[in-house]
Amino acid sequence: MSQGPYKPLDAQVIPRFAGIRTFMRAPHVTDLTGVDVAVYGIPFDTATSYRTGPRFGPEAIRSASALLRPYNPALAVNLVDALSIVDYGDVPVSPGDTERTYAQVEEALAPIVEAGVFPAALGGDHAITLAELRALAKKHGPLALVQLDSHGDVWESYFGQRYFHGTTFKRALEEDLLDPTASVQAGMRGSLYGPDDIQIAKDFGFTVLTTDELRELGPQRYGELVREKTGDRPVFVSFDIDFLDPAFAPGTGTPEAGGFSTAEALAFVRNLKGIRLEGCDVVEVSPPYDNAGAVTALAAATVMYELLSLRACLPA
Ligand code: MN
Ligand code: MN
């Protein structure tokens, strides 16, 4: 039970469709005293290679998250009893300038990480994860990466740019932010530029599971494998919403057919229970391509809810 003061609005007093939209209707707070979890937005999408739009991701995920209730029956945990959760707002970004944005995000994250508050980011395109890893590695050293994504994001460069949403984890390795042998990428699928594309991350030392391999493994054995690989190392979970099939998450920049349902994705995340989670993000939600009253944003909000539940399940 958290002693922190922050609780969401009472849905029996202010109905869920009412009120100013913050993540899970948590109070918007930037003073870190008494805070266990800071959910924050990184509204940046300059580093996308196909469709833009994730700059509007944070506000859409917040809006969809108004539906979430405190008790998670699948993991038997009451999130808001276990954790004092706030919505820290959006951190500063510079549209058009990825490297400047990295510096801004790193600077904004420093006091959160320093205070021992768990940082949970709403993206934003996948380039932003590099800045999050830089801030967290300063405190924890190299982290174990658990990435759920239909792409590896391990290219050397893209359109001549080294900092891009498809190069994030290559840069993170070069900067010693990750422990590759403790890192697991899962969900890779779709057409490639060549037969060796999947091999790039394996050569780094990552464990790589394609969508077919992950489907074959199933949620429980996936959880076992990740716990075995990550051990007691600090873990960062990065969830790219294009892990889902475009039928379940049309609102994203680089959709890949043949992916997972929302239910399957939630099961994979829940089965990570027990990992030493020290930070997370949900990225690549592009509201301009979403439909049916924000089905992608709701999936993203629920994935974040499950990630926070993993943190809530850890011993204090
Ligand atoms: Mn990605
Ligand atoms: Mn992706």
Side-chain angles (χ1 to χ4, degrees):
M1 186 74 77
S2 172
Q3 300 305 310
Y6 298 112
K7 299 294 164 204
L9 291 175
D10 184 343
Q12 302 303 316
V13 180
I14 311 284
R16 286 181 292 167
F17 52 80
I20 293 167
R21 292 300 166 88
T22 55
F23 188 77
M24 270 186 85
R25 305 177 9 118
H28 171 43
V29 169
T30 55
D31 174 351
L32 293 164
T33 314
V35 175
D36 298 322
V37 173
V39 180
Y40 65 103
I42 310 180
F44 179 78
D45 63 8
T46 294
T48 51
S49 53
Y50 199 64
R51 314 194 288 208
T52 56
R55 68 181 61 183
F56 299 111
E59 72 166 81
I61 299 169
R62 286 188 176 104
S63 204
S65 76
L67 269 170
L68 295 166
R69 304 177 189 87
Y71 185 69
N72 182 337
L75 290 172
V77 67
N78 186 311
L79 257 190
V80 307
D81 284 348
L83 299 169
S84 179
I85 303 172
V86 303
D87 190 322
Y88 196 73
D90 288 347
V91 297
V93 297
S94 298
D97 193 335
T98 306
E99 287 177 68
R100 186 163 190 262
T101 297
Y102 285 162
Q104 290 173 298
V105 173
E106 249 190 281
E107 190 186 340
L109 254 179
I112 298 176
V113 174
E114 198 88 344
V117 171
F118 181 84
L122 311 172
D125 71 48
H126 219 158
I128 59 166
T129 305
L130 185 63
E132 298 169 62
L133 291 171
R134 283 177 181 171
L136 281 161
K138 256 181 207 151
K139 172 165 182 168
H140 299 288
L143 293 113
L145 172 71
V146 175
Q147 182 187 353
L148 295 117
D149 194 332
S150 68
H151 315 97
D153 300 341
V154 288
W155 295 113
E156 171 55 31
S157 67
Y158 233 94
F159 301 107
Q161 295 171 67
R162 299 182 75 248
Y163 298 103
F164 217 61
H165 76 158
T167 64
T168 303
F169 301 107
K170 175 85 191 286
R171 292 294 92 77
L173 271 177
E174 290 167 355
E175 297 180 21
D176 282 327
L177 310 177
L178 297 177
D179 179 345
T181 60
S183 297
V184 182
Q185 293 188 315
M188 286 70 231
R189 66 174 182 273
S191 54
L192 302 170
Y193 289 111
D196 299 330
D197 287 6
I198 291 279
Q199 193 59 36
I200 297 172
K202 289 183 181 172
D203 289 344
F204 295 158
F206 287 170
T207 299
V208 182
L209 299 166
T210 64
T211 281
D212 290 342
E213 289 163 346
L214 185 59
R215 199 179 286 285
E216 175 79 32
L217 201 61
Q220 212 174 331
R221 279 159 63 210
Y222 167 69
E224 286 163 13
L225 182 144
V226 171
R227 279 188 294 275
E228 184 197 309
K229 288 280 171 195
T230 61
D232 57 3
R233 292 179 194 81
V235 179
F236 186 89
V237 176
S238 194
F239 192 101
D240 183 325
I241 203 68
D242 68 32
F243 177 79
L244 300 185
D245 190 89
F248 294 89
T252 195
T254 323
E256 297 290 347
F260 293 101
S261 71
T262 309
E264 289 171 318
L266 296 178
F268 284 117
V269 174
R270 280 176 198 140
N271 274 277
L272 295 172
K273 185 176 171 179
I275 58 172
R276 197 185 133 200
L277 190 61
E278 295 291 354
C280 65
D281 62 16
V282 178
V283 299
E284 298 282 351
V285 173
S286 184
Y289 296 95
D290 209 354
N291 64 15
V295 63
T296 311
L298 178 60
T302 311
V303 167
M304 179 53 83
Y305 176 84
E306 294 292 343
L307 290 168
L308 298 184
S309 300
L310 296 178
R311 176 73 181 187
C313 288
L314 287 179

